[in-house]
Amino acid sequence: MKNILIPTTLQQDSLFSVKAAIKQAADSKCIITLILLSDAPDMESASYYLRKAKYRISKGQQDVLNNCRKEIDTTENCILDIHYQFGLSAPLLKNLLEHLSTNLIIIPASYKMELNKIHRYFLNYISNNKIPILHLTDTSEEQEFNKALYLENKKTLLDVHEVHKMVNTQFRFKIVSHAAINDNNEELVPQLEEAISKNNIDLVIETRRPTKLCSKKNSGITVNNTLGLPVLSLYEEISI
């Protein structure tokens, strides 16, 4: 059983994320959960809170949700679940991920542009979680994930063979190219683009370490997100 979580504000590319999740599920049974976050109403009365704690969506958002359901209906192995979350904290999100048995998080391109504090907090929190994260681009609907480029940061503590093992046991695509980089080493971009074109690469793989939680948008540009490809981020969990 695969359990895939997609945070969304029901923009059009949420449908791309659902399609990507279906592809990752392949023929396995899969529960795809769309999580819609909203700030909790600020009030003392529990009954009034329950009346006001409703996620309101526009007609356009409802259309996106309906299209996601239609896409799921074309499969025999995938189920779509909608989770409305009001308010967020690290313990709450940790328990939610464990409750859902989440083994992959897919982030739509539009979600990474959200400025609302609760969405920024979610993105920062999951970066410290051990679950693989697939960051999509706004053209991900057209891409098949078959061949990957592993960008090994020179500061990583993971052995390249361990990364290959993690990918081979959890995903259907293969690492066909490998390059060592430094943070923000943009002079390598032309060489990496040539390798991507030559090897028909459609995915970049990186590793990540725990970072300080922050609700502000990260404006830093790295080599990985200048290549125009989806990025699979793997947590650097070191076996001792």
Side-chain angles (χ1 to χ4, degrees):
M1 171 71 76
K2 292 188 177 182
N3 298 281
I4 300 175
L5 182 68
I6 302 173
T8 178
T9 54
L10 294 178
Q11 304 304 309
Q12 183 59 43
D13 61 352
S14 298
L15 181 59
F16 302 169
S17 299
V18 169
K19 290 181 178 181
I22 292 171
K23 291 177 183 177
Q24 293 308 305
D27 297 325
S28 302
K29 290 187 178 299
C30 180
I31 298 176
I32 300 171
T33 301
L34 300 182
I35 180 170
L36 293 94
L37 296 169
S38 180
D39 293 318
D42 186 14
M43 54 197 69
E44 297 181 359
S45 169
S47 59
Y48 189 61
Y49 174 92
L50 291 174
R51 290 197 299 271
K52 292 296 182 180
K54 297 180 180 179
Y55 194 98
R56 295 176 174 82
I57 62 176
S58 67
K59 181 182 182 303
Q61 290 174 313
Q62 185 63 56
D63 290 341
V64 170
L65 185 55
N66 291 340
N67 288 333
C68 290
R69 290 189 171 118
K70 289 178 182 178
E71 193 66 32
I72 291 293
D73 288 343
T74 65
T75 73
E76 296 181 354
N77 58 305
C78 295
I79 298 173
L80 185 67
D81 186 31
I82 313 297
H83 181 85
Y84 298 95
Q85 180 63 48
F86 298 92
L88 195 64
S89 67
L92 190 154
L93 188 52
K94 178 178 181 293
N95 291 336
L96 177 62
L97 293 174
E98 291 177 353
H99 172 72
L100 296 174
S101 300
T102 306
N103 44 41
L104 176 63
I105 299 172
I106 298 179
I107 311 294
S110 64
Y111 197 84
K112 291 180 284 186
M113 303 303 294
E114 289 292 331
L115 299 178
N116 189 294
K117 184 177 180 180
I118 195 169
H119 301 306
R120 304 313 310 169
Y121 185 86
F122 177 89
L123 291 174
N124 276 276
Y125 177 80
I126 62 168
S127 68
N128 291 333
N129 196 279
K130 298 178 181 180
I131 300 171
I133 304 171
L134 178 59
H135 298 269
L136 297 184
T137 67
D138 54 8
T139 60
S140 293
E141 183 183 28
E142 304 169 2
Q143 294 166 322
E144 296 285 343
F145 304 138
N146 297 311
K147 298 180 180 181
L149 164 64
Y150 171 43
L151 296 184
E152 180 184 9
N153 193 301
K154 292 184 178 179
K155 296 179 182 179
T156 186
L157 301 177
L158 277 179
D159 182 85
V160 63
H161 299 293
E162 185 66 20
V163 174
H164 275 270
K165 181 179 178 181
M166 293 170 66
V167 171
N168 291 340
T169 55
Q170 298 182 57
F171 302 97
R172 301 183 68 189
F173 47 79
K174 302 293 183 182
I175 296 176
V176 298
S177 187
H178 168 220
I181 63 170
N182 290 315
D183 290 333
N184 300 321
N185 200 356
E186 295 186 19
E187 65 270 16
L188 284 178
V189 170
Q191 299 175 42
L192 296 175
E193 289 177 338
E194 182 179 356
I196 289 170
S197 176
K198 180 178 179 180
N199 295 287
N200 295 319
I201 289 170
D202 42 38
L203 182 74
V204 172
I205 295 176
E206 66 175 12
T207 59
R208 67 182 188 276
R209 295 183 184 181
T211 58
K212 184 177 179 180
L213 288 181
C214 175
S215 62
K216 295 181 180 180
K217 184 178 178 181
N218 183 0
S219 60
I221 301 299
T222 66
V223 171
N224 298 8
N225 55 34
T226 60
L227 296 174
L229 292 178
V231 176
L232 176 67
S233 177
L234 302 175
Y235 187 82
E236 288 194 19
E237 183 176 11
I238 310 300
S239 301
I240 300 179

